[in-house]
Amino acid sequence: MKKLTSNAYFRIYTCNLSVKNTAELCFKSVNTVAGWDRGRDIPPVCRRLMKLYSNRNLDPISEDWRGWRIAKGELVTPNGWTLTPSKIVLGNALIEIGAENDRKHQSEILKIARLLKNLPTSKKNKLNVYISRQ
């Protein structure tokens, strides 16, 4: 049985990253990451990037961000909702047009959003193409 180095422990247990994911994230080869696991130094910028990519709390930013975190490239709210950039942009657009005051529009938008969420991926891609042409 091989001894687990502190670098391997950091990658696996602290950051919850596979060798392949780490290599892609840090723009390195799988062999380079394997070398880190064997004890070679992880460059500070890669270590920082791995930490940022993994589940990190945003509490230190300000009191307003208490309970918010970033996990796997998504913003996670205190109640567990995951927000992608497209969801954030859509929400902001709805606020800008004033839809938050119109219950009828809100319920229709929510119905459509739920239907879209359940579409197979291929239909979502066709819908995105259609929307981008408008």
Side-chain angles (χ1 to χ4, degrees), residues 8-23 25-26 33 37 46-47 49-54 72:
Y9 185 90
F10 170 75
R11 179 184 58 76
I12 297 166
Y13 296 109
T14 302
C15 299
N16 195 28
L17 289 167
S18 69
V19 172
K20 183 180 177 197
N21 289 343
T22 304
L25 180 67
C26 295
V33 176
D37 284 356
C46 293
R47 184 176 281 275
L49 187 58
M50 291 164 68
K51 282 182 187 178
L52 285 173
Y53 183 76
S54 65
K72 303 293 182 179

Side-chain angles (χ1 to χ4, degrees), residues 34-63:
W36 296 345
D37 284 356
R38 288 189 301 269
R40 293 188 67 214
D41 287 341
I42 300 174
V45 68
C46 293
R47 184 176 281 275
R48 204 170 311 129
L49 187 58
M50 291 164 68
K51 282 182 187 178
L52 285 173
Y53 183 76
S54 65
N55 188 11
R56 293 292 172 228
N57 291 329
L58 299 178
D59 293 353
I61 295 173
S62 75
E63 186 64 32

